[in-house]
Amino acid sequence: MIKIYHNPRCSKSREGLCVLNDLKKDVEVINYIENPLTFDEIKKIISLLNIKPIELVRTKEAIWKEEFKDKDLSDDEIIQAMTDNPKLIERPIVVNENKAVIARPSEKINEII
């Protein structure tokens, strides 16, 4: 089953969910704002995406700019920042078995279907 890590307040996230629904795929929607991800869950997603933790951070979010921007953080500290502040996680993330994409633009979903 395909998973989408979703923030319903985000237009790009809603768009990604629409693409999956249009493809008639079984989708598990994970609202990571209401149900924050654990450190290990974020670490696994980063591994599936094959990116560095900082590449999953929404660096334009006020909380990042105010609390983390000018600090020299380790990868684990960046993951912990996302664990503690789910709004910092880039969205939407779509996972299909052992493949994942940050679906910006939503057409990237096709890369893993």
Side-chain angles (χ1 to χ4, degrees):
M1 176 179 291
I2 296 171
K3 293 181 181 180
I4 182 169
Y5 294 88
H6 178 63
N7 178 347
R9 297 190 68 194
C10 173
S11 63
K12 295 293 184 190
S13 196
R14 290 191 307 269
E15 188 178 305
L17 185 56
C18 284
V19 166
L20 291 169
N21 288 333
D22 289 347
L23 291 171
K24 309 249 187 282
K25 298 292 183 183
D26 287 333
V27 178
E28 178 183 357
V29 179
I30 300 164
N31 182 333
Y32 66 89
I33 300 297
E34 289 183 4
N35 302 296
L37 303 173
T38 66
F39 182 95
D40 289 337
E41 287 170 326
I42 294 172
K43 197 167 187 170
K44 181 176 180 181
I45 290 167
I46 289 167
S47 175
L48 290 172
L49 289 166
N50 196 28
I51 62 174
K52 296 181 185 303
I54 192 65
E55 295 176 74
L56 190 59
V57 174
R58 295 175 57 83
T59 57
K60 292 183 177 144
E61 285 287 336
I63 192 162
W64 180 263
K65 290 179 181 179
E66 294 164 8
E67 295 188 30
F68 305 104
K69 181 181 177 190
D70 295 321
K71 295 182 179 175
D72 185 22
L73 301 174
S74 69
D75 286 350
D76 282 352
E77 289 171 323
I78 293 168
I79 294 169
Q80 190 61 53
M82 289 185 280
T83 303
D84 296 340
N85 305 281
K87 285 174 60 176
L88 291 177
I89 300 172
E90 191 61 79
R91 57 194 177 245
I93 303 163
V94 179
V95 178
N96 185 9
E97 296 180 18
N98 63 348
K99 300 176 281 188
V101 293
I102 300 171
R104 297 176 78 90
S106 60
E107 292 80 23
K108 289 187 123 198
I109 293 169
N110 295 320
E111 295 174 12
I112 64 166
I113 300 296

